Amino acid sequence: MTTTLLHRRAAALALTVATAAFVAGCVSTPDRPPTLLTLPGPTASTPVPVTAAPREGSTLAIARLDIPEYLVSRRVRYRTDGSTLAEWPDTFWAERIEVGMSREFASALRARLPGWRLCESQCAQWSPVAGLRVVIDRMDYSRAQRRLLATARVAVGSHETDARSVNSQRLDYELKAEADTPQAQAQAYADLLDRLATDAAAAVAGVTALAAPSTAAPAGR
Protein backbone atom coordinates (compact mmCIF):
# COMPACT_ATOMS: atom_id res chain seq x y z
CA MET A 1 0.00 0.00 0.00
CA THR A 2 2.84 2.33 0.84
CA THR A 3 4.49 1.75 -2.54
CA THR A 4 1.19 2.32 -4.37
CA LEU A 5 0.60 5.55 -2.46
CA LEU A 6 4.09 6.80 -3.33
CA HIS A 7 3.49 6.01 -7.01
CA ARG A 8 0.22 7.94 -6.96
CA ARG A 9 1.82 10.96 -5.32
CA ALA A 10 4.70 10.92 -7.83
CA ALA A 11 2.28 10.74 -10.75
CA ALA A 12 0.22 13.62 -9.34
CA LEU A 13 3.34 15.71 -8.83
CA ALA A 14 4.52 15.05 -12.39
CA LEU A 15 1.11 16.02 -13.77
CA THR A 16 1.15 19.24 -11.73
CA VAL A 17 4.62 20.16 -13.00
CA ALA A 18 3.67 19.45 -16.63
CA THR A 19 0.49 21.52 -16.34
CA ALA A 20 2.37 24.43 -14.79
CA ALA A 21 4.98 24.32 -17.57
CA PHE A 22 2.27 24.29 -20.23
CA VAL A 23 0.47 27.25 -18.68
CA ALA A 24 3.72 29.17 -18.31
CA GLY A 25 4.53 28.56 -21.96
CA CYS A 26 1.14 29.83 -23.06
CA VAL A 27 1.49 32.95 -20.94
CA SER A 28 5.03 33.72 -22.11
CA THR A 29 4.17 33.32 -25.86
CA PRO A 30 1.78 36.10 -26.95
CA ASP A 31 -0.71 35.56 -29.76
CA ARG A 32 0.58 36.52 -33.19
CA PRO A 33 -0.81 39.95 -34.15
CA PRO A 34 -2.85 39.98 -37.38
CA THR A 35 -1.44 41.46 -40.58
CA LEU A 36 -3.50 44.42 -41.85
CA LEU A 37 -3.16 44.80 -45.60
CA THR A 38 -3.77 47.82 -47.84
CA LEU A 39 -3.61 48.29 -51.59
CA PRO A 40 -0.30 49.87 -52.59
CA GLY A 41 -0.44 53.06 -54.64
CA PRO A 42 1.49 53.52 -57.89
CA THR A 43 5.25 53.72 -57.46
CA ALA A 44 7.08 56.91 -58.41
CA SER A 45 8.99 55.05 -61.13
CA THR A 46 5.81 53.83 -62.84
CA PRO A 47 4.97 56.00 -65.86
CA VAL A 48 1.32 57.04 -66.16
CA PRO A 49 -0.01 56.93 -69.71
CA VAL A 50 -2.15 60.03 -70.20
CA THR A 51 -5.29 60.16 -72.32
CA ALA A 52 -6.12 63.74 -73.32
CA ALA A 53 -9.57 65.07 -72.51
CA PRO A 54 -11.69 66.43 -75.38
CA ARG A 55 -12.53 69.64 -73.50
CA GLU A 56 -11.24 71.27 -70.35
CA GLY A 57 -13.59 71.08 -67.36
CA SER A 58 -15.73 68.15 -68.56
CA THR A 59 -17.40 66.09 -65.85
CA LEU A 60 -17.38 62.30 -65.82
CA ALA A 61 -19.81 60.46 -63.54
CA ILE A 62 -18.23 57.30 -62.11
CA ALA A 63 -20.12 54.42 -60.56
CA ARG A 64 -18.48 52.52 -57.71
CA LEU A 65 -16.24 49.75 -58.95
CA ASP A 66 -17.93 46.34 -58.75
CA ILE A 67 -15.90 43.30 -57.71
CA PRO A 68 -16.93 39.66 -57.29
CA GLU A 69 -19.06 39.07 -54.20
CA TYR A 70 -16.90 36.13 -53.09
CA LEU A 71 -14.03 38.55 -52.49
CA VAL A 72 -16.02 41.06 -50.43
CA SER A 73 -14.58 40.08 -47.06
CA ARG A 74 -12.11 41.34 -44.46
CA ARG A 75 -10.12 38.14 -45.02
CA VAL A 76 -7.68 38.09 -47.93
CA ARG A 77 -8.82 35.29 -50.18
CA TYR A 78 -7.18 33.46 -53.06
CA ARG A 79 -8.23 30.62 -55.33
CA THR A 80 -6.88 27.10 -54.94
CA ASP A 81 -8.80 25.56 -57.86
CA GLY A 82 -11.76 26.25 -60.10
CA SER A 83 -14.32 26.09 -57.29
CA THR A 84 -12.39 26.53 -54.03
CA LEU A 85 -11.16 29.58 -52.14
CA ALA A 86 -8.70 29.78 -49.25
CA GLU A 87 -7.56 32.59 -46.96
CA TRP A 88 -4.14 33.84 -45.94
CA PRO A 89 -3.65 33.05 -42.24
CA ASP A 90 -3.93 35.96 -39.78
CA THR A 91 -4.25 38.46 -42.64
CA PHE A 92 -7.05 41.01 -43.07
CA TRP A 93 -7.79 43.96 -45.30
CA ALA A 94 -7.37 47.17 -43.32
CA GLU A 95 -10.55 48.51 -44.96
CA ARG A 96 -13.39 47.13 -47.02
CA ILE A 97 -11.75 45.85 -50.17
CA GLU A 98 -14.47 47.19 -52.49
CA VAL A 99 -14.04 50.68 -50.99
CA GLY A 100 -10.26 50.63 -51.28
CA MET A 101 -10.32 49.37 -54.86
CA SER A 102 -12.89 51.98 -55.92
CA ARG A 103 -10.77 54.76 -54.43
CA GLU A 104 -7.52 53.57 -56.01
CA PHE A 105 -9.22 53.09 -59.38
CA ALA A 106 -10.64 56.63 -59.30
CA SER A 107 -7.21 57.99 -58.36
CA ALA A 108 -5.54 56.17 -61.24
CA LEU A 109 -8.25 57.37 -63.63
CA ARG A 110 -7.77 61.02 -62.59
CA ALA A 111 -4.10 60.76 -63.49
CA ARG A 112 -5.08 59.64 -66.98
CA LEU A 113 -7.82 62.23 -67.61
CA PRO A 114 -6.21 65.60 -66.85
CA GLY A 115 -8.66 68.47 -67.02
CA TRP A 116 -11.64 66.28 -66.21
CA ARG A 117 -13.81 66.57 -63.11
CA LEU A 118 -14.52 63.08 -61.79
CA CYS A 119 -17.77 62.81 -59.83
CA GLU A 120 -18.62 59.71 -57.79
CA SER A 121 -21.98 60.75 -56.30
CA GLN A 122 -24.65 63.47 -56.67
CA CYS A 123 -23.36 64.35 -60.13
CA ALA A 124 -26.47 65.96 -61.67
CA GLN A 125 -25.44 69.44 -60.53
CA TRP A 126 -22.26 69.15 -62.60
CA SER A 127 -24.07 68.13 -65.81
CA PRO A 128 -21.72 65.26 -66.66
CA VAL A 129 -20.99 64.69 -70.33
CA ALA A 130 -20.52 60.95 -69.82
CA GLY A 131 -20.89 58.15 -67.31
CA LEU A 132 -18.51 55.28 -66.60
CA ARG A 133 -19.26 51.91 -65.03
CA VAL A 134 -16.65 49.20 -64.50
CA VAL A 135 -17.65 45.70 -63.36
CA ILE A 136 -14.96 43.16 -62.54
CA ASP A 137 -16.63 39.81 -63.13
CA ARG A 138 -13.56 37.74 -62.32
CA MET A 139 -10.59 38.53 -60.09
CA ASP A 140 -8.97 35.20 -59.27
CA TYR A 141 -5.56 35.12 -57.65
CA SER A 142 -3.84 31.72 -57.75
CA ARG A 143 -1.34 31.47 -54.92
CA ALA A 144 0.25 28.34 -56.36
CA GLN A 145 0.88 30.00 -59.73
CA ARG A 146 1.37 33.54 -58.36
CA ARG A 147 -0.99 34.74 -61.07
CA LEU A 148 -4.01 37.02 -61.21
CA LEU A 149 -6.63 36.38 -63.87
CA ALA A 150 -9.31 39.04 -64.25
CA THR A 151 -12.18 39.88 -66.56
CA ALA A 152 -13.89 43.26 -66.55
CA ARG A 153 -16.67 45.03 -68.40
CA VAL A 154 -16.18 48.74 -69.13
CA ALA A 155 -19.25 50.72 -70.20
CA VAL A 156 -19.11 54.41 -71.16
CA GLY A 157 -22.30 56.30 -71.93
CA SER A 158 -22.35 59.72 -73.54
CA HIS A 159 -24.87 62.18 -72.07
CA GLU A 160 -24.47 64.62 -74.94
CA THR A 161 -26.56 62.76 -77.49
CA ASP A 162 -30.29 62.12 -77.47
CA ALA A 163 -29.74 58.39 -77.71
CA ARG A 164 -27.26 58.41 -74.82
CA SER A 165 -25.16 55.89 -76.67
CA VAL A 166 -23.21 53.38 -74.60
CA ASN A 167 -19.91 51.85 -75.62
CA SER A 168 -19.32 48.58 -73.78
CA GLN A 169 -16.33 46.30 -74.01
CA ARG A 170 -15.00 43.24 -72.22
CA LEU A 171 -11.36 43.15 -71.16
CA ASP A 172 -9.23 40.22 -70.00
CA TYR A 173 -6.07 40.58 -67.90
CA GLU A 174 -3.30 38.31 -66.68
CA LEU A 175 -0.74 39.58 -64.17
CA LYS A 176 2.08 37.84 -62.33
CA ALA A 177 3.10 38.33 -58.71
CA GLU A 178 6.74 38.41 -57.63
CA ALA A 179 6.45 36.53 -54.32
CA ASP A 180 4.30 34.10 -52.38
CA THR A 181 2.97 36.68 -49.92
CA PRO A 182 -0.33 38.48 -49.34
CA GLN A 183 1.51 41.73 -50.06
CA ALA A 184 2.37 40.43 -53.53
CA GLN A 185 -1.31 39.61 -54.09
CA ALA A 186 -2.25 43.17 -53.06
CA GLN A 187 0.32 44.51 -55.54
CA ALA A 188 -1.22 42.40 -58.30
CA TYR A 189 -4.61 43.97 -57.49
CA ALA A 190 -3.03 47.43 -57.70
CA ASP A 191 -1.44 46.58 -61.06
CA LEU A 192 -4.85 45.43 -62.31
CA LEU A 193 -6.41 48.77 -61.32
CA ASP A 194 -3.69 50.63 -63.23
CA ARG A 195 -4.40 48.59 -66.36
CA LEU A 196 -8.13 49.08 -65.95
CA ALA A 197 -7.73 52.84 -65.51
CA THR A 198 -5.69 53.09 -68.70
CA ASP A 199 -8.26 51.17 -70.75
CA ALA A 200 -11.23 52.97 -69.17
CA ALA A 201 -9.67 56.39 -69.84
CA ALA A 202 -9.15 55.50 -73.48
CA ALA A 203 -12.79 54.39 -73.74
CA VAL A 204 -14.02 57.64 -72.14
CA ALA A 205 -11.91 59.82 -74.43
CA GLY A 206 -13.08 57.89 -77.49
CA VAL A 207 -16.80 58.14 -76.70
CA THR A 208 -16.75 61.79 -75.66
CA ALA A 209 -14.65 62.79 -78.67
CA LEU A 210 -17.30 61.33 -80.96
CA ALA A 211 -20.04 63.17 -79.08
CA ALA A 212 -18.22 66.51 -78.95
CA PRO A 213 -19.85 69.29 -80.98
CA SER A 214 -18.18 70.38 -84.15
CA THR A 215 -15.73 73.28 -83.86
CA ALA A 216 -15.84 74.15 -87.51
CA ALA A 217 -15.94 77.91 -88.27
CA PRO A 218 -19.41 79.28 -89.11
CA ALA A 219 -20.23 80.21 -92.69
CA GLY A 220 -19.63 83.79 -93.77
CA ARG A 221 -22.31 86.43 -93.38
Side-chain angles (χ1 to χ4, degrees):
M1 294 296 294
T2 302
T3 303
T4 302
L5 181 60
L6 289 176
H7 286 169
R8 288 178 178 177
R9 288 181 177 178
L13 179 61
L15 179 60
T16 301
V17 172
T19 302
F22 176 77
V23 171
C26 292
V27 172
S28 61
T29 305
D31 292 336
R32 177 182 176 183
T35 299
L36 298 180
L37 202 62
T38 62
L39 291 172
T43 59
S45 59
T46 303
V48 177
V50 175
T51 303
R55 292 182 305 283
E56 192 75 13
S58 299
T59 297
L60 174 68
I62 310 176
R64 172 170 286 187
L65 189 73
D66 281 345
I67 69 172
E69 183 68 25
Y70 57 81
L71 296 176
V72 180
S73 169
R74 286 295 306 280
R75 300 300 297 263
V76 183
R77 294 172 174 172
Y78 59 88
R79 188 169 288 283
T80 57
D81 57 41
S83 60
T84 308
L85 297 172
E87 299 172 338
W88 290 93
D90 302 317
T91 304
F92 302 84
W93 292 112
E95 62 181 334
R96 288 163 49 195
I97 181 60
E98 69 274 20
V99 173
M101 291 196 70
S102 293
R103 183 188 63 250
E104 295 302 325
F105 172 73
S107 177
L109 192 62
R110 284 189 179 92
R112 289 158 174 80
L113 292 175
W116 282 84
R117 178 192 294 115
L118 270 60
C119 177
E120 300 176 64
S121 63
Q122 305 296 326
C123 301
Q125 61 180 324
W126 300 109
S127 300
V129 300
L132 170 67
R133 181 176 179 82
V134 176
V135 178
I136 301 178
D137 295 314
R138 178 189 186 192
M139 195 169 69
D140 293 337
Y141 182 79
S142 169
R143 180 179 176 182
Q145 299 177 353
R146 300 183 187 178
R147 182 180 65 175
L148 174 63
L149 295 178
T151 300
R153 288 175 287 133
V154 176
V156 182
S158 171
H159 295 179
E160 295 192 334
T161 60
D162 293 338
R164 295 201 173 201
S165 58
V166 176
N167 176 26
S168 180
Q169 55 184 306
R170 180 184 173 203
L171 303 168
D172 295 311
Y173 302 95
E174 179 176 346
L175 301 102
K176 297 291 290 184
E178 296 182 355
D180 181 28
T181 63
Q183 290 80 5
Q185 179 175 343
Q187 183 62 58
Y189 284 178
D191 294 342
L192 170 64
L193 295 177
D194 272 351
R195 296 270 298 273
L196 262 175
T198 298
D199 292 337
V204 169
V207 168
T208 53
L210 291 175
S214 174
T215 57
R221 297 179 184 175

